[in-house]
Amino acid sequence: EPEVTQTPSHQVTQMGQEVILRCVPISNHLYFYWYRQILGQKVEFLVSFYNNEISEKSEIFDDQFSVERPDGSNFTLKIRSTKLEDSAMYFCASRRDYEQYFGPGTRLTVT
Amino acid sequence: AQTVTQSQPEMSVQEAETVTLSCTYDTSESDYYLFWYKQPPSRQMILVIRQEAYKQQNATENRFSVNFQKAAKSFSLKISDSQLGDAAMYFCAYIHTYKYIFGTGTRLKVLA
């Protein structure tokens, strides 16, 4: 069964550094998403992406964040100048119809 | 604004017993989808069950079933014959403009 994959599974970075989180969506899916879950809290929507552009973003998704589909398979989330409060699990999801399929997540730790 | 409320931060159930997790939501839409996700310690989001709002019949997946009350905007999850592997965080979710809105979660403990 096809699945969404994410790399790395765990990323540790120093405050102020840039990180890129990578996702490979399911191949025939057209819509892509990033969600964030701070430890012990609920999962929050960050951004949705369709047809090579952002279709919707939340108030969390400020200028520090960017998304890209650099090739036909990868979907990336870049966080510039990371802050301590960016420490969280980041989930990628993709969909073709209404249901989204989540990747296993990347745990980002900012020290 | 669309919101999803899970009023039980934590629930406990004895192994082999039945437990019900509550979820209410707020929407002005008439056609939508609702989901329950399980998040074990690995933090992977695992789909448990889905419900289309236009279907009156409650969804069922093996030991998991929902009680969907559209007028009351309620979507509870019933787990029958609870197993130790059911212990996890459970999130209720609603789809709005194709993005998920999640509740705050209920931590389910299963007692041996």
Side-chain angles (χ1 to χ4, degrees), chain A residues 91-108:
Chain A
F91 293 100
C92 172
S94 70
R95 73 172 178 94
R96 183 174 179 82
D97 298 313
Y98 66 88
E99 182 180 334
Q100 294 181 22
Y101 295 79
F102 285 86
T106 292
R107 178 176 297 184
L108 176 65

Side-chain angles (χ1 to χ4, degrees), chain B residues 31-103:
Chain B
D31 195 16
Y32 47 88
Y33 299 91
L34 296 160
F35 302 85
W36 277 98
Y37 278 86
K38 172 184 177 181
Q39 188 179 45
S42 67
R43 300 189 73 181
Q44 169 96 40
M45 296 292 284
I46 301 168
L47 178 66
V48 175
I49 200 165
R50 69 174 74 81
Q51 174 80 45
E52 292 92 337
Y54 64 87
K55 290 186 177 178
Q56 293 188 340
Q57 187 172 8
N58 289 323
T60 299
E61 288 286 341
N62 301 314
R63 299 183 294 107
F64 299 88
S65 61
V66 300
N67 183 6
F68 174 49
Q69 302 289 327
K70 191 173 183 179
K73 296 179 182 174
S74 170
F75 181 60
S76 59
L77 174 69
K78 186 171 84 171
I79 306 174
S80 304
D81 186 25
S82 297
Q83 300 175 0
L84 294 177
D86 294 334
M89 283 290 289
Y90 286 82
F91 291 96
C92 177
Y94 163 90
I95 281 190
H96 170 64
T97 61
Y98 298 108
K99 67 178 185 288
Y100 281 117
I101 297 174
F102 286 90

Side-chain angles (χ1 to χ4, degrees), chain A residues 32-54:
Chain A
F32 314 112
Y33 302 81
W34 284 101
Y35 291 84
R36 180 181 80 176
Q37 185 185 31
I38 295 171
L39 184 64
Q41 298 185 22
K42 67 178 178 181
V43 179
E44 298 175 292
F45 167 77
L46 286 178
V47 66
S48 58
F49 191 85
Y50 170 72
N51 200 25
N52 287 320
E53 61 182 28
I54 291 174

Side-chain angles (χ1 to χ4, degrees), chain A residues 10-14 86-88 107-111:
Chain A
H10 189 193
Q11 173 92 47
V12 181
T13 189
Q14 288 190 328
D86 294 328
S87 295
R107 178 176 297 184
L108 176 65
T109 302
V110 182
T111 61

